[in-house]
Amino acid sequence: MTKIQYGRNWPYHAILIVFAMIVAIPLVWMLLGSVESMRDLFSSRLIPNRLVFGNYTTAFTSMPFLLYLGNSVFTTGVIVLCQLVTSSLAAFGMVFTRAPGKRIIFALVIVSLMIPIQAIFIPDYVILSDLHWIDTYEALIVPFVGTGFGIFFLRQAYLRIPSTLVEAMRMDGASSWTILWRLVIPNTKPSLVALGLLNGVFHYGYLFWPLLVTNTTRYRVIPVGLSYFTQGQPDQIQWNLLMAANVMAVLPMVLLFLWGQRYLVKGILAYAIKG
């Protein structure tokens, strides 16, 4: 971008900087609060008198942090992997096959996006209870192995691939699996990574469902563990320890986002451009 273009766009940049600062304020406050004493946290001072890095050790040892973190990473990873597989296969069938009724199926996928996820919690819980899956990894994973949003997201990306290339590969004797693996997936990698990041962030930080279907420490996840810090009377909550635990819990997602941010922008653009 030239200097002239920068000069013309400076109002937009200024607005974006202001909004970025507003978004960063809670994050900065969380980082500062994680190394403050309770007295400094509720004082009017912006910079604490003393940095208490021991808050991280205390927060880490006050609960089985590694167990909760491992459960979150494992369940989130399996969910994302299953969603990428199921969404890829479904989107491929909707775009590159002549299956009868695929328009009706796609309409049902759109309808599923309009149903709040909370509306199906009761039937899901009843089914899992009948299967004796309450308080198991299956209860945390199975209800989310498929997603209407993922199907719609990847369908939009697959529509950008010229159908002539697919037909040419079919004429050469390529199977549907070969076309998906050799042509479609390599050319839609940003969309796949973007979908994985979006779903990963959502399920990693999801609280209500894991709180509902787990009863023991063995299957608890990070959001449930963090909620333990808020139990008790408001004046007894150790907010500095909660912020230290939050920093440690958020760190894996921050690192994952830093790795995949270049794919995220490309994937969302591919999702939005093609109708």
Side-chain angles (χ1 to χ4, degrees), residues 11-31:
Y12 304 105
H13 294 162
I15 293 173
L16 291 175
I17 291 173
V18 170
F19 276 104
M21 293 176 63
I22 294 174
V23 172
I25 287 174
L27 300 177
V28 174
W29 187 59
M30 182 178 70
L31 287 172

Side-chain angles (χ1 to χ4, degrees), residues 26-172:
L27 300 177
V28 174
W29 187 59
M30 182 178 70
L31 287 172
L32 291 176
S34 67
V35 292
E36 293 184 40
S37 63
M38 285 292 292
R39 177 178 298 181
D40 288 339
L41 186 62
F42 289 99
S43 67
S44 58
R45 295 177 57 89
L46 181 62
I47 304 299
N49 289 321
R50 183 170 60 92
L51 299 180
V52 186
F53 291 101
N55 289 341
Y56 286 92
T57 303
T58 305
F60 185 85
T61 56
S62 62
M63 64 176 182
F65 191 89
L66 287 179
L67 175 62
Y68 295 157
L69 179 63
N71 287 339
S72 290
V73 172
F74 171 71
T75 56
T76 301
V78 174
I79 289 172
V80 169
L81 179 60
C82 291
Q83 288 187 357
L84 290 178
V85 173
T86 57
S87 299
S88 296
L89 296 175
F92 182 88
M94 291 182 180
V95 176
F96 299 114
T97 65
R98 298 184 178 92
K102 67 178 184 179
R103 290 187 177 182
I104 298 176
I105 296 174
F106 179 67
L108 294 176
V109 171
I110 298 299
V111 171
S112 71
L113 299 178
M114 305 176 188
I115 301 175
I117 189 173
Q118 293 80 7
I120 60 175
F121 276 170
I122 293 178
D124 279 352
Y125 186 88
V126 172
I127 293 172
L128 293 174
S129 180
D130 291 340
L131 293 172
H132 304 288
W133 281 357
I134 299 299
D135 200 33
T136 63
Y137 288 119
E138 289 86 349
L140 295 170
I141 295 172
V142 172
F144 305 103
V145 296
T147 167
F149 171 74
I151 296 172
F152 181 69
F153 190 95
L154 292 184
R155 175 185 177 273
Q156 301 303 103
Y158 289 1
L159 286 172
R160 301 187 65 191
I161 298 177
S163 59
T164 53
L165 293 178
V166 177
E167 294 301 326
M169 291 189 68
R170 290 192 189 279
M171 293 178 64
D172 289 338

Side-chain angles (χ1 to χ4, degrees), residues 76-77 80 83 194-205 253 256:
T76 301
V80 169
Q83 288 187 357
L195 178 61
L197 287 174
L198 293 174
N199 282 326
V201 170
F202 173 78
H203 289 286
Y204 183 83
M253 288 294 103
L256 184 63

